[in-house]
Amino acid sequence: MKVIYSDNILHNEGMISGYIIIEKGKIINILNEFNGSYVNYKDEYILPGFIDQHVHGWGRGSLFFNKSPESLIMMVRDLPKEGVTSFLPTTTTGSVDDIYQTIDIINKVIEKNEVGAEILGIHLEGPFINPEKSGAQSKEFCIKPNLKLFKKFENKCVEPNQIRLITIAPELENAQELIEYCREKNIQVSAGHTDATFEQIIESKKWGVNGVTHMYGAMSGLHHRNLGTVGAALYDADLYCEFAKQTGITVNHEAFDIAYRIKTADKIIHSTDCLGHARQNKAYFHAKRGIWFIPQDNLIIEQNVNTGLEKKYNIDNYDDVRKLEMSYIDSVRNMVKYTKMTWEEIGKVTSLNPARYLNLENKGKIDIGKDADFTILTKDINLKATYINGQLIYTNTI
């Protein structure tokens, strides 16, 4: 049995003080008083563990640049250092064989049961997306929705219902058949990389679309006579809006704030959509940031085309590579800097909402019977510790 205490526990969407009693990875009780030894986080804030439902790579690992079990294992190990307790490794739009390979890698790492962030399943981003809105995805591999092929992806998985989330362009031919199948199988469906009209998004809700992937990005925009996917996501009270990391580059802070005011914390999901730049095997240009990432031996050289500045990062040094892109915890801090949020609202967008969206009954809340996944923060939203299934996986000693 393990016991931790705080004056600030986010419990059922409200802050309480108490002792969290943990046994076999579960919360078995929350007490006002306790006689015995415990871990004291008196002044810190204990939130349900961060869930990242959209991440291609992080830290020293990447499924985007380096498809290997070792690379995914590094993601499992490094994500808790940013407060993430569970995540969906996310595929990219490549050849069918590339997607098979990614699924095989995820299978192997799931079977290894590595210590670190829990792999919840798979987010299948593509290949059933609109090439006109491919964004950073490979346009040449975008294909029409194909239920037979999707079932082959399912059959490749080592666990049932391993594909938990799919991003699809609902305006494409045959999309309805695939979306309705996913609804029957309890697989969540998000509209993304889509040129759908307002009317098409609203219609696709009837089939099983419940949200949008990286809101504003790679989707039809809002015009006062043609509301597009953005307009539908803002207008419809039921649709969730997933946002990628809040750098202010891909989505202006004001644009996020507009969505937040309309949707409220109840329908916003925070993710990162990180790529894992440390594992690049060839030069890669990030157009929005105006930066070249160039691998050289055990270094990544970052060249800014706008300023001419050059920085070097050791790919084996985590403190180095975490600077290559904004992390989950840094994004949360940046989000709150520009959009006023309570602790309860932070807990919703980082944990409760993705848990609900992905049908994760044992996650998203600190309550009796739930998984003992905790992200423990200082009052300034710096990470103090990360617990996964009741085990202290990371602690910040600084």
Side-chain angles (χ1 to χ4, degrees), residues 352-371:
L352 179 62
N353 292 349
R356 284 176 171 170
Y357 197 62
L358 301 174
N359 301 304
L360 303 169
E361 295 182 358
N362 293 324
K363 298 189 183 296
K365 285 186 176 184
I366 297 176
D367 204 356
I368 296 171
K370 303 292 186 183
D371 292 345

Side-chain angles (χ1 to χ4, degrees), residues 7-276:
D7 281 346
N8 311 287
I9 300 169
L10 183 54
H11 174 251
N12 284 334
E13 304 177 31
M15 281 294 181
I16 65 169
S17 63
Y19 300 84
I20 304 174
I21 316 300
I22 304 163
E23 196 168 275
K24 296 181 179 179
K26 298 286 186 180
I27 301 168
I28 63 169
N29 213 338
I30 301 174
L31 302 175
N32 293 324
E33 296 181 358
F34 177 79
N35 293 319
S37 62
Y38 59 90
V39 182
N40 191 356
Y41 293 106
K42 176 179 172 59
D43 297 324
E44 279 77 40
Y45 293 77
I46 302 183
L47 274 61
F50 292 163
I51 299 170
D52 195 344
Q53 69 176 34
H54 188 166
V55 56
H56 303 279
W58 173 253
R60 296 168 292 175
S62 175
L63 288 176
F64 189 86
F65 295 113
N66 184 328
K67 288 183 173 66
S68 69
E70 294 75 22
S71 199
L72 180 54
I73 287 169
M74 295 311 297
M75 290 173 64
V76 168
R77 294 174 180 173
D78 286 346
L79 282 166
K81 299 171 185 176
E82 309 301 329
V84 176
T85 58
S86 56
F87 70 108
L88 288 181
T90 304
T91 66
T92 51
T93 298
S95 69
V96 171
D97 286 340
D98 280 343
I99 295 172
Y100 284 155
Q101 180 189 7
T102 304
I103 293 172
D104 284 338
I105 289 166
I106 295 169
N107 289 341
K108 289 176 182 177
V109 178
I110 286 175
E111 291 177 329
K112 283 179 177 288
N113 198 27
E114 288 283 328
V115 174
E118 179 183 352
I119 296 176
L120 299 169
I122 296 171
H123 176 176
L124 194 73
E125 186 179 15
F128 311 123
I129 60 176
N130 193 322
E132 298 305 313
K133 294 292 183 181
S134 57
Q137 305 283 331
S138 299
K139 181 176 291 190
E140 64 269 30
F141 294 117
C142 298
I143 60 176
K144 294 177 182 178
N146 184 321
L147 180 55
K148 184 177 180 181
L149 177 58
F150 180 79
K151 288 181 177 179
K152 289 182 179 180
F153 292 150
E154 282 189 298
N155 291 335
K156 275 281 184 180
C157 295
V158 72
E159 293 180 346
N161 300 318
Q162 192 169 315
I163 299 176
R164 283 193 172 270
L165 174 61
I166 178 173
T167 292
I168 189 171
E171 74 275 15
L172 297 179
E173 184 181 350
N174 303 323
Q176 180 177 352
E177 179 184 34
L178 178 52
I179 294 168
E180 289 179 340
Y181 172 82
C182 289
R183 181 179 61 189
E184 292 171 4
K185 295 291 294 290
N186 208 27
I187 298 167
Q188 188 58 274
V189 182
S190 291
H193 294 277
T194 172
D195 203 27
T197 64
F198 176 91
E199 292 78 13
Q200 287 171 324
I201 293 295
I202 299 303
E203 179 67 17
S204 71
K205 273 188 61 188
K206 301 174 184 177
W207 311 337
V209 169
N210 289 306
V212 298
T213 294
H214 42 55
M215 176 64 175
Y216 294 116
M219 63 178 62
S220 49
L222 173 65
H223 184 275
H224 62 283
R225 287 192 297 270
N226 183 6
L227 301 181
T229 301
V230 169
L234 293 174
Y235 177 81
D236 190 280
D238 298 326
L239 291 173
Y240 282 85
C241 293
E242 175 211 279
F243 277 89
K245 54 188 178 292
Q246 289 303 291
T247 61
I249 299 172
T250 305
V251 174
N252 286 358
H253 297 300
E254 293 82 1
F256 174 83
D257 198 59
I258 288 169
Y260 190 81
R261 294 183 194 191
I262 295 170
K263 304 297 292 187
T264 78
D266 291 334
K267 292 296 178 179
I268 300 290
I269 293 173
H270 180 273
S271 69
T272 61
D273 196 12
C274 284
L275 299 179

